[in-house]
Amino acid sequence: MTDSRYLKRTIVKEVIASTFLNEERTLRIYLPPGYNEVLSYPVVYCQDGEEFFNFGRIATYANQLILDEGAEPFIIVGIEVDVKKRTAEYAPFGNLHEAYTRCVAEEIIPFVEQKYRARSDERILAGDSLGGSLSLHLSLLYPGEFPRIISLSGAFYEESQEILARTANLDWLNVYMIVGLQENEYETDHGIFDFVDLNRRTRDLLLERGATVRYSEKEGKHLWGFWQKELLDALKYFLTV
């Protein structure tokens, strides 16, 4: 990806004060080529926002899709996270989970939609590992508000599957899931897990409840080196015809 046009990007930083988290939170916002206040745009909201930009190269991929592959221009919002609090915020068993999900849904998204020409009816949530499962939890907590999810090796632990199992109908939900086949013994800060099995089980639970699921397993490890290669296809799935 050496075309210099892909590297000319407009990325702005915003800082919002969160009442729910009682702290400030930084956002990285990519605006597409030719961004125009007269128009409106789909939005991809990314957990681990700094990593999506730095390691996932999501802004470069966005330029490629828009400039060369016919994608409708879209905005990207990367929500940055303190890695020390990540599990507490992202995991359903974390002590900051409720505060964080409310921050995203009730503070960050309204801020973005008020300041930028972001469409409220075309939101995509994206995340890797716990960020993928957090995206699903947000969607379940606010039914119909976040109908499209990109999950890169989602950390769908037992608690997440139990929450999903209690949900009756998900025929409004569309999920793109990818997991690496070398993630079958991945060590986390609270145990060793088979992410392939966790994702298969979650896929089945989603399908049983009527969700649309695009599911893939490929050679790969629980690393951005794997996810970066898959991110372009994930974006294409939702943002190109």
Side-chain angles (χ1 to χ4, degrees), residues 117-203:
R117 295 292 292 159
R119 291 183 194 157
S120 61
D121 60 345
E122 289 195 56
R123 301 168 180 150
I124 300 167
L125 298 179
D128 63 283
S129 194
L130 270 176
S133 57
L134 182 278
S135 297
L136 178 59
H137 288 301
L138 265 170
S139 192
L140 297 179
L141 287 167
Y142 297 86
E145 294 294 313
F146 309 107
R148 296 185 283 182
I149 295 171
I150 293 171
S151 171
L152 308 174
S153 305
F156 298 108
Y157 300 132
E158 183 178 350
E159 293 86 352
S160 295
Q161 293 185 32
E162 289 175 353
I163 292 169
L164 182 54
R166 293 196 295 268
T167 305
N169 178 37
L170 291 173
D171 61 6
W172 49 269
L173 183 61
N174 192 345
V175 186
Y176 183 101
M177 302 176 69
I178 180 78
V179 66
L181 290 169
Q182 281 69 52
E183 298 183 59
N184 56 326
E185 292 184 0
Y186 181 71
E187 185 174 356
T188 74
D189 55 5
H190 57 285
I192 297 174
F193 294 90
D194 183 342
F195 272 63
V196 180
D197 181 63
L198 293 178
N199 277 264
R200 288 174 181 171
R201 290 174 181 269
T202 300
R203 172 202 60 194

Side-chain angles (χ1 to χ4, degrees), residues 1-9 60 63-64 67-68:
M1 195 181 296
T2 57
D3 192 323
S4 61
R5 296 174 306 135
Y6 301 157
L7 303 178
K8 295 178 181 178
R9 298 146 321 168
T60 305
N63 273 6
Q64 178 183 340
L67 295 173
D68 288 349

Side-chain angles (χ1 to χ4, degrees), residues 4-224:
S4 61
R5 296 174 306 135
Y6 301 157
L7 303 178
K8 295 178 181 178
R9 298 146 321 168
T10 300
I11 300 173
V12 297
K13 283 193 176 184
E14 299 278 6
V15 177
I16 73 162
S18 171
T19 300
F20 296 113
L21 292 171
N22 194 31
E23 66 179 30
E24 293 185 336
R25 187 58 53 110
T26 301
L27 310 176
R28 294 189 184 199
I29 300 178
Y30 159 91
L31 300 177
Y35 176 78
N36 190 327
E37 290 285 349
V38 175
L39 305 176
S40 63
Y41 302 88
V43 190
V44 182
Y45 293 91
C46 303
Q47 313 305 320
D48 292 299
E50 187 174 6
E51 293 194 351
F52 264 85
F53 277 93
N54 291 344
F55 304 141
R57 303 181 70 188
I58 191 170
T60 305
Y61 282 138
N63 273 6
Q64 178 183 340
L65 286 173
I66 294 165
L67 295 173
D68 288 349
E69 301 192 34
E72 180 181 8
F74 59 97
I75 295 169
I76 302 166
V77 177
I79 306 169
E80 297 192 7
V81 65
D82 180 346
V83 294
K84 296 177 182 177
K85 300 178 182 178
R86 186 174 181 270
T87 298
E89 292 181 350
Y90 286 9
F93 48 81
N95 65 312
L96 295 174
H97 182 71
E98 180 181 358
Y100 180 74
T101 53
R102 294 195 69 182
C103 170
V104 174
E106 301 176 36
E107 294 176 325
I108 291 174
I109 288 176
F111 169 83
V112 171
E113 292 180 354
Q114 181 177 16
K115 186 164 184 178
Y116 297 92
R117 295 292 292 159
R119 291 183 194 157
S120 61
D121 60 345
E122 289 195 56
R123 301 168 180 150
I124 300 167
L125 298 179
D128 63 283
S129 194
L130 270 176
S133 57
L134 182 278
S135 297
L136 178 59
H137 288 301
L138 265 170
S139 192
L140 297 179
L141 287 167
Y142 297 86
E145 294 294 313
F146 309 107
R148 296 185 283 182
I149 295 171
I150 293 171
S151 171
L152 308 174
S153 305
F156 298 108
Y157 300 132
E158 183 178 350
E159 293 86 352
S160 295
Q161 293 185 32
E162 289 175 353
I163 292 169
L164 182 54
R166 293 196 295 268
T167 305
N169 178 37
L170 291 173
D171 61 6
W172 49 269
L173 183 61
N174 192 345
V175 186
Y176 183 101
M177 302 176 69
I178 180 78
V179 66
L181 290 169
Q182 281 69 52
E183 298 183 59
N184 56 326
E185 292 184 0
Y186 181 71
E187 185 174 356
T188 74
D189 55 5
H190 57 285
I192 297 174
F193 294 90
D194 183 342
F195 272 63
V196 180
D197 181 63
L198 293 178
N199 277 264
R200 288 174 181 171
R201 290 174 181 269
T202 300
R203 172 202 60 194
D204 293 345
L205 286 167
L206 289 165
L207 290 171
E208 288 167 4
R209 282 147 186 79
T212 299
V213 181
R214 169 75 173 271
Y215 180 86
S216 298
E217 296 175 2
K218 296 185 179 181
E219 297 294 319
K221 298 180 180 180
H222 200 80
L223 299 167
W224 269 108

